[in-house]
Amino acid sequence: MKNKMKLVIVIAALCAFAVSCGNGGKGGKVLFQSDDKKIKVYENEVNLELEKSLFSSGVSEKDLTADQIAQMKKNIIQNIALNRALVLKAKEQKLDKDKKYTQSEDIIKEQALATLAVVNDLNEKVKVSDSDAKAAYDANIAKFQRPEDTVKLQLIVFRASDKAKADTALREVMANPSNFTSYVQKYNGNSSSGTGETQEIPISQLTKSFEPISKAVQTVSSGQVVNSVIPVGANELYIVKVLQKNPKGQIPFETVKEDIKAQIRAQKRQMEQQVFMKAVADEFKITNIADKIKDVK
């Protein structure tokens, strides 16, 4: 659960103030190349987009886990590659010569610079300390309760027809369980969760929907992998790693501290953005601009 909120915020902000995501800073090794070699994504531009994305969200790399950073980079690579594919398609149609593009470049740059001004102001003003988070935790102590035991899992999923493949994967995982995420990527590819990690799941919910997994994890400790492929229903097989086992009752402050800080930060950024935008509008005499626009039909 730790840093989950931050990751959501950061991913949502990818390319938020880029003029054209991934179109600058080419250099370093190639991290992706399409089969026809028409599209390449370079390490330097991915690192630049990561830096801009973190900046736009007011967080730094140290606030996120290595897996989260890796997933962000994969998302960035996908975004850049797709953008480049769309650009190639647009050029095929000669849209790069269209006035809707050629005459809008200055506006696009202005929008990027305006967004950067807002983000820069927010990063200067919005600071959230551990003591801020502790105060919010103490004031809402009843909200931080687990009504029942929960688990957080990491999954590799196979079709039932791929039993031999699942058995091979399990042998690899058991030989090197600390690299479970790499096996998720190897066998599940670009799955929706990226790392195969689940949210915290109440045991009753897990039992209701995935009873074989619920039974299998009962005797497995946090950090361990279930040493068998688990069939669920007639169509799916699972390899399961138990990331966390969380008892019911009061959730410790340290467990939720980063989530609380992220929530406070998001709230403060929203309020400070409104204040900043009004201050700029007042400074440049455009506060009541709608009332002053005339003869627009």
Side-chain angles (χ1 to χ4, degrees):
M1 187 163 61
K2 184 176 182 180
N3 284 329
K4 176 181 66 181
M5 180 68 72
K6 287 182 180 179
L7 184 60
V8 171
I9 293 171
V10 170
I11 289 178
L14 287 176
C15 305
F17 59 88
V19 173
S20 181
C21 180
N23 285 336
K26 293 180 183 178
K29 65 181 180 181
V30 175
L31 299 182
F32 170 81
Q33 178 175 270
S34 60
D35 292 341
D36 59 9
K37 298 184 180 180
K38 291 182 178 179
I39 297 172
K40 294 181 181 181
V41 181
Y42 296 86
E43 183 177 39
N44 287 2
E45 61 188 347
V46 171
N47 289 337
L48 176 61
E49 291 301 325
L50 176 65
E51 180 184 351
K52 291 193 294 186
S53 299
L54 293 173
F55 179 76
S56 70
S57 301
V59 298
S60 63
E61 284 196 46
K62 65 181 179 60
D63 294 315
L64 303 174
T65 67
D67 282 347
Q68 289 171 335
I69 291 294
Q71 185 58 41
M72 283 186 65
K73 288 184 176 181
K74 289 174 184 176
N75 289 338
I76 291 169
I77 291 169
Q78 291 174 3
N79 287 342
I80 294 174
L82 179 58
N83 273 4
R84 296 224 162 108
L86 291 170
V87 166
L88 289 175
K89 179 58 65 177
K91 287 182 177 180
E92 286 177 6
Q93 300 170 8
K94 302 188 185 305
L95 295 179
D96 55 327
K97 309 300 182 184
D98 191 297
K99 69 177 183 179
K100 290 190 292 295
Y101 169 73
T102 59
Q103 295 181 16
S104 66
E105 291 179 286
D106 288 342
I107 293 176
I108 293 172
K109 289 180 180 179
E110 285 183 353
Q111 290 171 340
L113 190 57
T115 302
L116 183 57
V118 174
V119 171
N120 189 63
D121 182 79
L122 296 182
N123 286 350
E124 288 294 321
K125 292 179 179 177
V126 177
K127 309 292 182 183
V128 182
S129 66
D130 287 358
S131 59
D132 293 331
K134 186 61 165 63
Y137 176 85
D138 291 340
N140 299 276
I141 197 74
K143 292 183 179 180
F144 299 101
Q145 295 276 342
R146 288 191 190 95
E148 62 175 297
D149 293 352
T150 68
V151 292
K152 183 176 181 181
L153 307 175
Q154 195 171 20
L155 309 171
I156 307 176
V157 188
F158 299 87
R159 294 189 299 266
S161 58
D162 291 333
K163 179 64 163 61
K165 185 177 180 181
D167 288 338
T168 298
L170 180 63
R171 288 193 293 271
E172 294 178 2
V173 167
M174 296 305 294
N176 197 359
S178 62
N179 280 351
F180 196 95
T181 299
S182 67
Y183 295 115
V184 174
Q185 297 298 324
K186 177 179 179 179
Y187 288 101
N188 288 167
N190 296 320
S191 61
S192 59
S193 61
T195 62
E197 295 185 15
T198 70
Q199 307 283 339
E200 270 194 55
I201 307 171
I203 291 297
S204 63
Q205 180 182 329
L206 185 64
T207 301
K208 181 178 179 181
S209 303
F210 298 91
E211 184 175 10
I213 294 178
S214 181
K215 289 181 177 179
V217 302
Q218 286 178 5
T219 58
V220 178
S221 301
S222 295
Q224 293 184 336
V225 177
V226 177
N227 63 359
S228 62
V229 176
I230 305 169
V232 176
N235 300 316
E236 294 181 329
L237 303 171
Y238 287 80
I239 297 174
V240 178
K241 181 176 183 178
V242 178
L243 298 179
Q244 297 174 6
K245 280 190 166 182
N246 306 301
K248 69 177 181 180
Q250 189 66 41
I251 304 173
F253 169 66
E254 287 299 323
T255 301
V256 295
K257 179 179 71 175
E258 294 303 325
D259 283 344
I260 295 172
K261 288 173 71 173
Q263 290 168 359
I264 294 173
R265 184 181 295 110
Q267 292 167 355
K268 285 188 173 182
R269 286 173 75 86
Q270 185 176 23
M271 290 187 292
E272 288 293 345
Q273 180 171 337
Q274 293 174 354
V275 171
F276 177 68
M277 298 292 281
K278 186 178 185 307
V280 171
D282 288 344
E283 180 181 352
F284 291 94
K285 308 294 189 286
I286 58 173
T287 302
N288 299 316
I289 188 170
D291 297 333
K292 298 175 183 176
I293 297 175
K294 306 295 184 183
D295 300 323
V296 176
K297 298 180 182 179

